[in-house]
Amino acid sequence: MSAPPVASMGLAALRQVGMLCSLGLDVLRLSLKPPYQFREFIQQCWFIVRVSILPAALVSIPFGAVIALQLGSLTQQIGAQSFTGSASVLAVIQQASPLITALLIAGAGGSAVCADLGSRTIREEIDAMRALGVSPIHRLVVPRVHAAIVIAVLLNGMVSVVGVLGGYFFNVIMQDGTPGAYLASFSALAQLPDLWISEIKAVLFGFIAGMVAAFRGLNPPPGPKGVGDAVNQSVVITFLLLFFLNFILTTIYLQIVPPKAL
């Protein structure tokens, strides 16, 4: 007797999760195995930067502006205009910056990685590498995942700076805020662990984006159309995992690190 469709779908989903976790463990295990594909790593870093740096900068400006305008309006209603700067910085650095960076890396760089590996898979290049005794994970996946992590960390810093500057400009210009009060309030609520959690999120988000893109690229549906389907699936799955992981990390951080006393 065959299993019900719902049970079959559940087993298939669990199998995919297990395969993804297994690939992640293989990447971690092979990360320090020589020889390291340094040239491939540099090429992937440059490619991801080339396709994501301009969109990241352009997206971070309105993001920081919207946060600053909304918080500025809220602080005016409750009579706490002096904390507009610190609240905007917290929102941009803790939440907006890592998510913007990860979504752009997953949408731009991750989709290209998935398409590249998927085309290699359907052309049987991956099987040929395995037949020759060359590990495709060590040769192709590890440098791409490392590149996604490194660029996510670097872009996260850039997006944080651009977002804070955008929030400063719109708060001072659009809402007649005081530049000195905006800058002085940075240290009122913000603290160094806020920057650390932002970078930790960037590292984990970059790892997930690279892993999901590589996994779907190595396991596409049959045929050329399967590569396009794998790219779409990798982007959607990455987005879902990123928002779920962001919720978990934010909850843990707020429980571990106490808020700064005024």
Side-chain angles (χ1 to χ4, degrees):
M1 183 177 181
S2 60
V6 176
S8 300
M9 292 176 59
L11 291 175
L14 289 177
R15 188 179 301 111
Q16 294 290 317
V17 172
M19 294 171 61
L20 178 60
C21 294
S22 177
L23 180 61
L25 293 176
D26 289 339
V27 169
L28 295 176
R29 179 175 56 85
L30 296 174
S31 294
L32 301 178
K33 180 182 178 181
Y36 186 76
Q37 305 299 325
F38 189 74
R39 182 177 181 180
E40 185 78 15
F41 168 74
I42 296 298
Q43 290 176 348
Q44 294 301 317
C45 285
W46 170 244
F47 172 76
I48 295 176
V49 167
R50 190 177 60 198
V51 299
S52 60
I53 186 171
L54 183 60
L58 295 178
V59 170
S60 60
I61 295 175
F63 230 94
V66 168
I67 292 175
L69 293 175
Q70 186 66 42
L71 290 176
S73 176
L74 179 62
T75 53
Q76 286 181 0
Q77 295 178 13
I78 63 177
Q81 294 90 334
S82 59
F83 297 107
T84 302
S86 58
S88 300
V89 170
L90 285 176
V92 170
I93 292 180
Q94 280 194 23
Q95 304 297 330
S97 179
L99 284 177
I100 291 174
T101 302
L103 294 181
L104 287 173
I105 287 181
S111 59
V113 168
C114 182
D116 176 46
L117 294 177
S119 62
R120 292 172 184 260
T121 301
I122 65 173
R123 291 198 304 263
E124 299 183 351
E125 293 182 17
I126 303 298
D127 293 335
M129 293 178 65
R130 292 193 177 101
L132 293 173
V134 178
S135 173
I137 297 176
H138 183 237
R139 178 64 179 82
L140 300 175
V141 176
V142 170
R144 284 164 170 78
V145 173
H146 288 178
I149 294 173
V150 171
I151 301 306
V153 173
L154 297 178
L155 281 182
N156 181 62
M158 186 204 73
V159 171
S160 298
V161 172
V162 175
V164 170
L165 291 178
Y168 168 82
F169 175 80
F170 280 90
N171 179 260
V172 173
I173 301 300
M174 302 292 294
Q175 295 181 319
D176 298 326
T178 305
Y182 190 94
L183 295 175
S185 66
F186 279 7
S187 59
L189 296 176
Q191 50 187 335
L192 188 59
D194 297 327
L195 179 60
W196 288 119
I197 189 60
S198 177
E199 294 296 344
I200 291 173
K201 285 182 178 181
V203 170
L204 295 178
F205 291 171
F207 178 77
I208 289 177
M211 282 301 311
V212 174
F215 174 73
R216 295 308 305 152
L218 293 176
N219 301 277
K225 183 178 180 297
V227 178
D229 295 338
V231 171
N232 294 333
Q233 292 171 8
S234 70
V235 174
V236 173
I237 293 172
T238 303
F239 284 9
L240 294 175
L241 291 177
L242 291 181
F243 283 106
F244 180 71
L245 182 60
N246 180 65
F247 167 75
I248 294 177
L249 292 176
T250 302
T251 304
I252 295 175
Y253 174 76
L254 294 178
Q255 294 295 324
I256 294 177
V257 179
K260 190 173 182 180
L262 298 177

